Amino acid sequence: MVIPEAIPENAVYELTPVDGNPSSRANLQFVLFYKTDGNKRSTASQSMHDAYYQVLSHYPILYGQLERKVDEQLDNTKVQVSVSKETHSTCMPSYTEFDVDELVSDIQEANYNWATWPQPLLSICPVRRPSTDGKPDNPLAQCVVTWHADGMGLLISVDHSIADGVGIDILLNQWAGATRAALSSDNTEPNKLELPVDYDHASLYKELCQEEPQKDWFVEYVDSVDLAQAPTENGAIMDSDTRSPTSVELALRAHVHSLRILPSALHKLYAEMHPSATTRHIPVIRLVYALMWQCFADAASLDAQPNASCFLNVIHSARKLVNRPHYIGNAVCPVYMRQTTAQLHTSTRQLAQTIGDNMHAVSGPHWLATLLMLQDSERYKKFLTVFANPRAKQLTVSNISRLRFFSVDFGWGAPVHATVYPMLIPGFATWLPLGASGGLHILWNMPDSVAERLKNDTRFTRYVEFLF
């Protein structure tokens, strides 16, 4: 086990307000399944363990303790990570292994429904809540490995305040590379890891605050919400929520559905939306946005007024904006678009064209406007009312289908499946790659009534399959 060296006795990493908002109070968890022979544990277990701590030793923030303190001036919660020699033992990232009876082939046959997963892969609750003294009990990074007779399962869990999907993608591939090097027959020393280490979120916040934020329609719309007339938040992780983390997790898991769009269905969607060579080119991903938004809004708002607002929220990476990763790469920018129910009743191709014409590019001022809004507690309550309530007509997409999860090779080939679990906000859909063959694997949190309507919508099922 490798302990980070040369860490100051009292290192403190300040997180920005957007990192500390309630929607980030979760463990971001990825699960990978591999098919291999049952003897791998005897040859690879120690190498995987050592490589895990070798890689994490370059990220000392993961050995710290997350602390939340109320900032009375901002009427919000301030978040920081404190790292010291003491936290090296009390907050040590965890790594555990289990021999399990379940077969990867059976899990594969069930379309990876988590009802068939071994219990250790479900043992780490994704919801993080502070204890009575304001400090979470669990380490910021946790890993579980399950050894099956025909393969391996792997869960890696990192606090979402510290890392996003790209950050975990970086960790996984660095860990896999270090393991392969340790298992190589020539026993050569692995190449020095190229680690994009940067803990300075505070400088990013200061840099953006020097810009003039744009108060666009999104901020104005949130400001216009009347909390006295709004429905109660349901599904968001609020400080006032009295449910246990496990209760919240079970409630959220019950509404997560798994969908699949095969490469052949993507080709069919594109061909049918482009009937002639003269049709203006529209990327197929925008056609998928349009189709899902259109069908979901119809299913979720059958009795809505014609002028009811329906939102599309696409989460973009902001790495190009800041030109460097932070912590383990946590920099995202939500981009919002609004249409009325009546406006959505158009062709999928026309809606996809509208999306392309109207979704503004990621920029510092737009991101800053959102960040400043989230640090204001009153505005954040309104934001949750609009975007985290099951009755809100909105589709939120976190598209991480271009990440390299299917290239994470520990020495026995690529995973047969990679997924994230679970979704924390109603209406939230995470898009992952389906595999080397292409296509999309979608995990979508929606009410069961909406799911049943979508299953009976031929516009939707022509291209999209429900797995569970």
Side-chain angles (χ1 to χ4, degrees):
M1 188 178 301
V2 183
I3 302 295
E5 299 178 358
I7 301 299
E9 288 291 336
N10 296 296
V12 176
Y13 304 114
E14 298 281 354
L15 305 191
T16 64
V18 74
D19 292 317
N21 76 67
S23 65
S24 291
R25 298 183 190 184
N27 290 311
L28 187 57
Q29 302 178 324
F30 284 86
V31 176
L32 285 70
F33 287 98
Y34 292 83
K35 292 294 287 292
T36 184
D37 65 77
N39 297 321
K40 284 297 180 185
R41 178 169 190 176
S42 61
T43 58
S45 175
Q46 191 62 46
S47 295
M48 286 189 66
H49 172 277
D50 293 347
Y52 173 77
Y53 284 104
Q54 175 193 354
V55 170
L56 262 60
S57 70
H58 294 270
Y59 299 99
I61 192 172
L62 292 177
Y63 290 73
Q65 189 169 65
L66 195 67
E67 299 174 349
R68 291 188 169 91
K69 300 178 180 178
V70 175
D71 188 323
E72 296 181 356
Q73 184 176 359
L74 292 176
D75 188 24
N76 198 12
T77 303
K78 186 177 181 181
V79 184
Q80 64 185 28
V81 177
S82 297
V83 181
S84 66
K85 299 299 182 182
E86 180 182 353
T87 65
H88 289 175
S89 57
T90 59
C91 302
M92 172 73 68
S94 67
Y95 181 95
T96 53
E97 293 184 339
F98 299 87
D99 286 312
V100 296
D101 295 329
E102 292 85 353
L103 296 176
V104 173
S105 56
D106 290 340
I107 298 171
Q108 195 173 26
E109 184 68 22
N111 290 317
Y112 300 96
N113 188 325
W114 40 74
T116 65
W117 291 8
Q119 186 56 38
L121 292 181
L122 299 168
S123 61
I124 299 175
C125 185
V127 179
R128 293 187 71 92
R129 293 281 293 279
S131 59
T132 54
D133 60 359
K135 300 175 181 179
D137 298 326
N138 299 317
L140 298 178
Q142 303 172 79
C143 180
V144 173
V145 175
T146 54
W147 295 101
H148 309 244
D150 62 346
M152 184 190 83
L154 183 154
L155 162 70
I156 186 167
S157 176
V158 183
D159 190 285
H160 202 359
S161 300
I162 308 300
D164 59 7
V166 176
I168 293 183
D169 179 55
I170 291 170
L171 278 179
L172 279 169
N173 280 280
Q174 290 172 347
W175 177 21
T179 302
R180 288 197 310 272
L183 292 172
S184 63
S185 57
D186 58 8
N187 292 318
T188 57
E189 287 293 324
N191 294 329
K192 183 179 179 180
L193 294 173
E194 295 297 329
L195 296 166
V197 179
D198 185 350
Y199 306 123
D200 195 6
H201 256 194
S203 69
L204 166 65
Y205 185 53
K206 181 178 180 180
E207 177 183 326
L208 288 178
C209 283
Q210 292 173 352
E211 303 178 14
E212 187 67 29
Q214 298 177 5
K215 189 174 181 180
D216 57 14
W217 68 264
F218 166 63
V219 177
E220 292 174 355
Y221 182 86
V222 171
D223 283 344
S224 72
V225 172
D226 183 357
L227 283 175
Q229 303 297 321
T232 303
E233 292 90 345
N234 185 5
I237 308 170
M238 300 292 290
D239 287 334
S240 58
D241 195 333
T242 58
R243 294 175 294 175
S244 70
T246 301
S247 298
V248 175
E249 184 267 327
L250 290 173
L252 294 168
R253 191 203 315 178
H255 299 294
V256 178
H257 296 266
S258 178
L259 298 85
R260 173 172 64 194
I261 308 179
L262 294 171
S264 57
L266 291 174
H267 290 306
K268 181 167 68 173
L269 174 63
Y270 184 81
E272 292 178 352
M273 294 301 130
H274 285 261
S276 70
T278 58
T279 302
R280 177 179 170 184
H281 171 70
I282 301 173
V284 68
I285 201 68
R286 287 184 187 158
L287 292 170
V288 180
Y289 285 153
L291 175 71
M292 295 182 69
W293 189 20
Q294 206 171 34
C295 295
F296 178 73
D298 283 349
S301 55
L302 290 180
D303 302 321
Q305 297 298 319
N307 291 322
S309 291
C310 299
F311 294 90
L312 174 66
N313 166 22
V314 180
I315 299 176
H316 288 268
S317 170
R319 279 171 182 71
K320 291 184 179 179
L321 167 65
V322 301
N323 199 32
R324 65 181 189 269
H326 288 263
Y327 302 134
I328 310 174
N330 194 19
V332 295
C333 177
V335 178
Y336 300 93
M337 183 179 170
R338 177 179 56 177
Q339 298 275 273
T340 65
T341 305
Q343 289 171 322
L344 289 178
H345 291 163
T346 182
S347 75
T348 301
R349 180 178 60 82
Q350 289 174 319
L351 181 59
Q353 184 171 313
T354 302
I355 291 172
D357 291 341
N358 289 279
M359 291 188 74
H360 61 253
V362 175
S363 65
H366 279 287
W367 187 34
L368 178 60
T370 302
L371 187 149
L372 294 178
M373 182 194 71
L374 293 179
Q375 75 167 336
D376 182 288
S377 62
E378 189 72 8
R379 275 181 169 170
Y380 194 75
K381 290 177 184 177
K382 295 180 178 182
F383 170 81
L384 287 178
T385 299
V386 176
F387 292 101
N389 192 281
R391 284 173 281 179
K393 283 59 174 185
Q394 60 90 23
L395 167 61
T396 300
V397 175
S398 178
N399 186 352
I400 54 176
S401 62
R402 294 180 176 86
L403 298 184
R404 305 167 296 160
F405 296 115
F406 275 91
S407 65
V408 180
D409 179 4
F410 287 89
W412 43 87
V416 293
H417 187 68
T419 188
V420 61
Y421 168 85
M423 307 302 100
L424 294 177
I425 299 177
F428 199 104
T430 298
W431 296 11
L432 297 108
L434 193 57
S437 61
L440 289 171
H441 168 219
I442 299 171
L443 288 169
W444 197 347
N445 189 325
M446 68 179 88
D448 291 339
S449 59
V450 172
E452 288 304 313
R453 290 169 189 156
L454 286 176
K455 291 176 183 178
N456 293 306
D457 187 338
T458 55
R459 295 174 302 166
F460 192 77
T461 56
R462 182 173 178 79
Y463 311 104
V464 185
E465 301 175 60
F466 272 85
L467 301 178
F468 61 86

